[in-house]
Amino acid sequence: MAIRVTQRNMYGSMINNMQNSLAAYMESVMQGSTQKRINRPSDDPAGTFRVLTARNQIQNTDQYKTNVETAKGWLQLADNVVATQTSNVLTQLKELAEQASTDTYNAEQRRIMADEARALFGTLLNLGNTEFDGKSIFGGHKYDINAFEESLAVTTWDENWAEAANEGAFKIEGSSKSTVMVQFTSDGTVGDDDLNYRWSADGGKTWTEGTLAANADPNAFFTINANGVTLTVPRGLQTKAADVDTGPGANNGTLLYIRPTAVYKGDDNNPPPDIVVMGGQDGLGKDQVSATGNFGKDVLVRFDTDADLATAGNEFTYSYSTDGGNNWVTAKGTTTGGDTLRLTIPGGYMDFNTAGVAGGSTIPAGAQIMVHPDRADLNYEIMEDTYVSVNNVGMEIFGGYYQGKPALPTDQNVFELAGEFIAYLECDNRDGCAQVLAKLDKTCMPYVESQAAKIGAKENRVETVYDILDFRKLDQQELLSNVEDIDLTELLTNLTRQQMTYSMVLQSSSMIMQLNLSNFL
């Protein structure tokens, strides 16, 4: 059967060929301009998924690198403050102590040294309040306030009074620009006897008399007022009378030095975690539940079956969650009797004591207890599920006072040693200066170096992670390039072929469309 090919059919076929050739050519031109093999999802659906995944991984890596750079800023500054600047200040204090602990210098020269020691104390206070990007790096989570504030504390060589000071039994109010010496001139007991004392604010040149009156009221406060400073002391402390004559060999009795220190205003990781009881029998509260351990996050505990704490050998089931209840891990427990129970949970233990609870000793199924730890760490995620703490609990480095007590032992306590040294210089106590020198050399400076080493170790860690992230990003970019980028050699070959094809289609189409019946006569 004959088929008649009309001009319309020829024209339609020609246009289709031209469009197909042109579309392929333009696709190659687009790939050449973008250098990408995949420019739209339809180019390669599976490849598009791999491209989007790789891009997301690169974005995550970039965010981790940003976190690492921020962490490096915090840690480098802390390292410089502790390892370099604080160490330099302690070295200067040590040099002063070496001079002041010899007989070469007199009282007036020691008072001149005291001015330099006070300036160094102020430098230490500034270092303790160092900020990074407007945030205190030594205040724990309280990075919006100064980590330390200057205050007053008591130094004494009387063992009973020194123990009371270390236990936070004293309260000091007011301020003084110089060390205040308080010396008792009568034997007795605070609260039971009228005790005479005298105080001096000029290193013992002049004295002012005072009396600490007896008071039988068990709730009475006992205050010593000296040079605008009020020192409140507890009942029951024993005093030893000093010799009024302060010459060589004189008995100093109970002698107090009220001198500068720094009070830590930040937070820490030491207090026990907060306990929240939800459900349970009547009377079960945070007084009956406690947690012990090192908890990095909240832990939620749920009793799945009843637990009778009064009976030994009662098996029960409980679950715990570390993500707010989204996922639970189930465990089995057995009661030991005696109304007490210890459960093992991530990070430590949870202890119960239901003795005397109004609702009985059985903890019902469904009861939940939240362990909320007090955390001072400011963590940055530097890799997936890998965190580094960039801030520091300042009292663990510089010491000072915290919650009314010395934050560190005196021989490690930077602010306490500096404050005591000022007191000994202003009061011409050569033996005290020698004690400060020994503590600085043997304990304090090595302790500060150990704290700097901890910061340096974290700094090295984040630097290593940064290098790892650099290599990871290169790998991710190479993977993305392998999937997404065009092969230039192949592209140029395709462009040449498609250009020739398009030109041939145009030429052949032009020749065919010029044909008519006269060409066949």
Side-chain angles (χ1 to χ4, degrees):
M1 181 179 66
I3 299 177
R4 181 170 176 258
V5 179
T6 65
Q7 290 290 104
R8 181 175 181 180
N9 291 339
M10 293 172 58
Y11 180 75
S13 177
M14 178 196 69
I15 292 299
N16 287 336
N17 289 334
M18 288 178 59
Q19 288 178 340
N20 290 336
S21 299
L22 182 60
Y25 179 60
M26 293 307 297
E27 178 67 22
S28 295
V29 170
M30 178 182 294
Q31 290 177 345
S33 63
T34 62
Q35 302 287 298
K36 305 296 182 185
R37 183 179 66 85
I38 301 175
N39 293 292
R40 59 182 68 87
S42 59
D43 291 341
D44 185 352
T48 300
F49 173 77
R50 293 165 63 189
V51 166
L52 294 177
T53 301
R55 287 178 178 174
N56 184 61
Q57 291 174 343
I58 292 174
Q59 289 178 351
N60 291 339
T61 300
D62 287 336
Q63 182 60 57
Y64 291 141
K65 291 182 68 176
T66 300
N67 293 348
V68 168
E69 289 173 350
T70 304
K72 285 175 62 178
W74 279 77
L75 295 173
Q76 286 175 350
L77 180 57
D79 187 24
N80 178 264
V81 168
V82 178
T84 303
Q85 299 185 52
T86 300
S87 295
N88 289 341
V89 173
L90 293 179
T91 299
Q92 295 178 63
L93 285 173
K94 178 185 174 182
E95 292 172 353
L96 282 178
E98 288 174 345
Q99 299 173 18
S101 58
T102 66
D103 292 329
T104 306
Y105 295 89
N106 57 32
E108 189 59 34
Q109 290 171 319
R110 289 191 177 93
R111 291 191 184 93
I112 295 174
M113 294 181 189
D115 293 335
E116 184 176 352
R118 279 191 176 270
L120 292 174
F121 180 89
T123 301
L124 287 172
L125 192 63
N126 291 336
L127 293 175
N129 290 328
T130 300
E131 294 182 351
F132 178 81
D133 196 21
K135 299 179 178 62
S136 177
I137 66 175
F138 296 116
H141 268 162
K142 296 180 181 178
Y143 40 72
D144 55 342
I145 62 173
N146 284 336
F148 293 94
E149 289 184 1
E150 185 173 353
S151 187
L152 297 173
V154 173
T155 292
T156 178
W157 292 5
D158 186 311
E159 294 182 358
N160 293 328
W161 287 70
E163 183 179 354
N166 290 332
E167 293 177 352
F170 296 161
K171 180 181 179 182
I172 303 178
E173 297 177 331
S175 62
S176 177
K177 295 182 179 180
S178 62
T179 299
V180 179
M181 284 198 300
V182 177
Q183 189 176 50
F184 283 89
T185 55
S186 60
D187 295 320
T189 303
V190 174
D192 296 338
D193 304 305
D194 290 333
L195 302 174
N196 296 323
Y197 67 89
R198 60 180 185 172
W199 62 266
S200 173
D202 55 9
K205 293 182 179 179
T206 60
W207 295 90
T208 302
E209 305 293 333
T211 301
L212 192 62
N215 192 331
D217 184 356
N219 298 318
F221 294 96
F222 302 93
T223 58
I224 299 172
N225 298 305
N227 197 44
V229 177
T230 300
L231 172 63
T232 303
V233 299
R235 174 188 294 276
L237 287 175
Q238 301 291 321
T239 64
K240 302 174 184 177
D243 296 337
V244 177
D245 180 12
T246 58
N251 172 31
N252 286 323
T254 300
L255 176 63
L256 313 178
Y257 297 92
I258 302 177
R259 42 72 184 177
T261 191
V263 175
Y264 180 64
K265 295 295 184 178
D267 56 8
D268 59 32
N269 289 317
N270 293 331
D274 188 27
I275 300 295
V276 180
V277 179
M278 298 166 284
Q281 68 271 42
D282 293 339
L284 183 68
K286 62 173 59 180
D287 291 337
Q288 289 73 41
V289 186
S290 62
T292 306
N294 184 17
F295 302 100
K297 58 180 65 176
D298 293 346
V299 181
L300 183 61
V301 176
R302 179 186 66 198
F303 281 83
D304 299 323
T305 60
D306 294 347
D308 183 4
L309 274 59
T311 304
N314 175 29
E315 295 184 353
F316 64 95
T317 303
Y318 69 99
S319 301
Y320 56 81
S321 172
T322 58
D323 57 5
N326 292 323
N327 297 285
W328 294 87
V329 176
T330 301
K332 291 185 177 181
T334 304
T335 59
T336 56
D339 296 326
T340 61
L341 176 67
R342 166 167 284 192
L343 297 182
T344 303
I345 58 177
Y349 303 94
M350 180 178 290
D351 293 303
F352 297 81
N353 189 338
T354 57
V357 172
S361 298
T362 300
I363 301 177
Q368 297 187 20
I369 299 93
M370 172 71 79
V371 179
H372 180 67
D374 184 7
R375 298 181 296 270
D377 294 335
L378 178 60
N379 294 318
Y380 277 86
E381 188 174 12
I382 56 177
M383 294 182 73
E384 186 176 0
D385 295 329
T386 301
Y387 299 85
V388 63
S389 173
V390 298
N391 60 344
N392 292 273
V393 178
M395 70 173 189
E396 295 178 355
I397 299 173
F398 299 95
Y401 261 64
Y402 181 60
Q403 296 180 346
K405 302 177 182 179
L408 292 172
T410 303
D411 55 355
Q412 297 176 348
N413 200 315
V414 174
F415 282 120
E416 282 292 273
L417 275 181
E420 288 188 355
F421 185 44
I422 291 170
Y424 295 144
L425 288 173
E426 292 180 340
C427 299
D428 192 29
N429 188 330
R430 183 184 65 82
D431 293 338
C433 294
Q435 287 188 6
V436 170
L437 173 61
K439 292 176 181 179
L440 278 172
D441 190 37
K442 294 181 180 180
T443 309
C444 185
M445 296 179 72
Y447 176 77
V448 172
E449 290 174 0
S450 69
Q451 294 299 309
K454 292 179 181 179
I455 298 173
K458 290 196 288 186
E459 186 180 359
N460 291 336
R461 178 189 177 193
V462 297
E463 289 177 350
T464 301
V465 169
Y466 192 85
D467 292 338
I468 293 173
L469 291 174
D470 268 341
F471 286 116
R472 174 184 290 186
K473 185 175 180 180
L474 288 175
D475 289 340
Q476 293 168 342
Q477 288 174 332
E478 184 177 354
L479 174 63
L480 177 63
S481 177
N482 291 337
V483 176
E484 185 181 39
D485 292 350
I486 193 69
D487 186 326
L488 290 179
T489 303
E490 181 181 353
L491 175 64
L492 291 175
T493 302
N494 289 338
L495 276 171
T496 302
R497 184 181 69 251
Q498 290 163 352
Q499 188 177 25
M500 293 178 59
T501 301
Y502 184 57
S503 297
M504 293 176 64
V505 169
L506 290 177
Q507 291 177 6
S508 60
S509 299
S510 174
M511 293 175 62
I512 292 173
M513 291 305 296
Q514 291 176 4
L515 294 176
N516 52 51
L517 290 175
S518 63
N519 294 105
F520 300 95
L521 295 177

